[in-house]
Amino acid sequence: MRRSFTDWLGDLRQAARSLRRSPGFALVVVLCLGLGIGANAAIFSVVNAVLLRPLPYRAPDRLVNAYETFYWAGGDGYGSVSYPNYRDWVAQSRTMESFAASLRAGVVLQGPESTERLAANLVTAHYFATLGVTPILGRDVDPGEAQAGGQPVVLLNERLWRSRFGADPALVGTPLLIDGQQRTVIGIIPAATSTAIQVWMPLVLSPERAEARDSHFLQVIGRMRPGVTLEQADADLKAIAARIRQDHPEVDPSRGARLRSVQEDSVANARPTLLILMGAVALVLLIACANVANLLLARAGARRHELAVRLALGASRGRLVRYLLTESLLLSLGGAAVGAALSWLAVRGLAPLVSGVLPRTSDLHMDGRVYLALLAAAVACAVLFGLAPALNATGTNLQGG
C-alpha cells in the first residue's frame, strides 16, 4: 500500500515536470476545462439553492400548503381559502399538528425622518410555530392579539431590523407608527424566512368577513403530525371538505380541498427550467472533454518515442496508463481551480439577477456541496478525456517505434 502511494507520488512529480515542459498545451487545456467546469458549478449553485437545499424551517418535510379546490371551465383548480372553512379545518383535522393562515397586504411605516411602504403579511396566532421558525428576538403572535380589540403588535424581518434600526435589540417592546396606528414590536424574524415580506401583523377580520364562506382570500399552511404521510393528511382534509359541503348547502358543490408539500410547491415551476439548463451546461462540459481528448491524442503522437522507451525499459502498460491518467488529473484539477474562480464570480453576478425570478435565491452562494460536486466533476473529466488517449498511447508498437 505504501509502495503504491510512493509510486503514485513519483508519477505526480513526473507528470508535473512533463506539463511544465509544455506550458502552452497545459494552459489551453486548463482554460478549456475551467470554462466547462465553471459553467456547471455556477448553474449547480443555483440548482443547489433552489432544489436541493432544505427549507429554513423546523422539519420542513412535515410542512404543507392547504388549498381549496374548485371546478372551472378549464378544469380543476385550486387556490385561497375562506375563513370559515379554515376554522373548520383547524377544529376537525386529526392528522395535522396545526394550521395557520395569512393574507398579503401593504402598509406604511412612518418615522421622524422618513416614511416607507412595506410588504406585510397578516397572520393568525402561532403562525411562526406552525411554520417552524423561532424569532431571533421576542415571540410569536398570541391568540388574543389576532382578535378584535387585541393589542396591536408587529414583527419585523431581520433585514429591515438591521437596515433601518441598526439591529438594536431594544427595539423589541417599543412602538412603531404603522398606517397611523401605534404597534408594539414583539419579535424579529430570521431573514431566511422570507425575502418578500418585511413585517408581520395579526390578522383581525370583521364579523361579516369571518363568516363569509364564499369569500376566499387566505393562504393556509399546515404542519402534519409526526408519522403522518401527505396522502393520509390529504385524505383527512378532503373528508372535512365533504362534511362542509353536506352541512352548508350554500357552498359551491365543486368545492373541495387538497394539500401540497411546501418544498415541492416552492420549486414546482422552476424545476423543469433548471434541469434543462443543467443538462445544457453538462453538454458544454462533455464537448470540452472531447476537445481535450483530441489534444491529448495529438500530444501522445508526439510522445510515441518517449513512451516506447519507457516500455522498452520495463514499464508495464498499466504503469504508463496510470502515469498518463495522473497527467490528466493534474490538468483537470487545474481546470477545476480556474472553474471555481469563474463560477464564484458568475454566482456573484447571477445572485441579483435571479433573486426576483427564482425562489430561494436570496442567499445564493457556493457551499460545501457545490465544491464537492466541482471536485467530483474534475475527477470524472480526468477519466473521460484521459483514459482513451492513455490506452491508445500505451499501445505503442515497439517494433515500429
Side-chain angles (χ1 to χ4, degrees), residues 73-160:
D76 292 332
Y78 60 96
S80 51
V81 182
S82 72
Y83 186 80
N85 288 349
Y86 160 75
R87 189 176 54 207
D88 287 346
W89 293 356
V90 172
Q92 299 180 36
S93 177
R94 298 179 179 179
T95 56
M96 302 300 295
E97 188 176 277
S98 62
F99 279 110
S102 64
L103 175 64
R104 294 287 288 269
V107 298
V108 175
L109 173 63
Q110 299 159 280
E113 298 179 358
S114 64
T115 297
E116 186 177 358
R117 186 163 185 82
L118 304 176
N121 231 6
L122 309 181
V123 300
T124 55
H126 306 309
Y127 176 82
F128 293 103
T130 299
L131 197 59
V133 171
T134 302
I136 296 173
L137 296 172
R139 59 173 176 81
D140 205 339
V141 176
D142 284 340
E145 293 162 342
Q147 296 178 0
Q151 180 186 3
V153 297
V154 64
L155 297 98
L156 307 185
N157 190 306
E158 179 189 0
R159 286 192 181 86
L160 178 66

Side-chain angles (χ1 to χ4, degrees), residues 161-383:
W161 175 58
R162 292 187 182 281
S163 63
R164 176 146 181 167
F165 301 100
D168 181 6
L171 185 68
V172 176
T174 62
L176 295 178
L177 188 60
I178 297 178
D179 283 349
Q181 182 182 31
Q182 294 284 349
R183 288 184 173 271
T184 303
V185 178
I186 61 169
I188 307 298
I189 302 303
T193 303
S194 175
T195 59
I197 304 301
Q198 295 162 289
V199 297
W200 291 264
M201 302 186 302
L203 174 67
V204 180
L205 300 175
S206 66
E208 296 78 19
R209 201 171 193 191
E211 297 301 325
R213 286 191 185 271
D214 59 350
S215 180
H216 308 278
F217 57 93
L218 293 177
Q219 304 301 311
V220 177
I221 59 168
R223 178 168 291 276
M224 297 185 295
R225 295 183 186 277
V228 172
T229 67
L230 180 62
E231 291 73 20
Q232 290 170 333
D234 188 57
D236 181 36
L237 194 66
K238 284 180 167 60
I240 297 172
R243 289 196 293 271
I244 291 173
R245 290 194 303 270
Q246 183 177 358
D247 295 341
H248 299 276
E250 74 277 10
V251 171
D252 180 351
S254 74
R255 283 276 166 181
R258 69 177 299 186
L259 295 178
R260 287 171 59 96
S261 162
V262 168
Q263 177 82 31
E264 288 302 311
D265 252 6
S266 66
V267 301
N269 294 330
R271 187 189 300 275
T273 301
L274 286 177
L275 293 181
I276 290 171
L277 192 57
M278 195 71 205
V281 293
L283 183 59
V284 170
L285 184 56
L286 286 176
I287 293 171
C289 287
N291 290 334
V292 171
N294 287 330
L295 289 173
L296 286 176
L297 284 170
R299 185 168 186 257
R303 300 175 69 189
R304 289 181 71 85
H305 180 70
E306 173 200 341
L307 297 175
V309 170
R310 287 175 179 266
L311 286 170
L313 291 175
S316 66
R317 189 183 185 197
R319 176 70 185 271
L320 282 183
V321 168
R322 188 179 68 188
Y323 162 68
L324 293 174
L325 282 177
T326 302
E327 276 192 6
S328 298
L329 182 60
L330 275 179
L331 291 168
S332 191
L333 290 175
V338 172
L342 292 176
S343 59
W344 182 81
L345 291 172
V347 166
R348 290 195 65 182
L350 278 172
L353 297 177
V354 301
S355 61
V357 178
L358 294 174
R360 307 179 59 200
T361 51
S362 60
D363 187 30
L364 181 60
H365 65 278
M366 294 179 63
D367 60 13
R369 182 185 283 143
V370 176
Y371 286 111
L372 188 63
L374 190 147
L375 182 61
V379 174
C381 286
V383 175

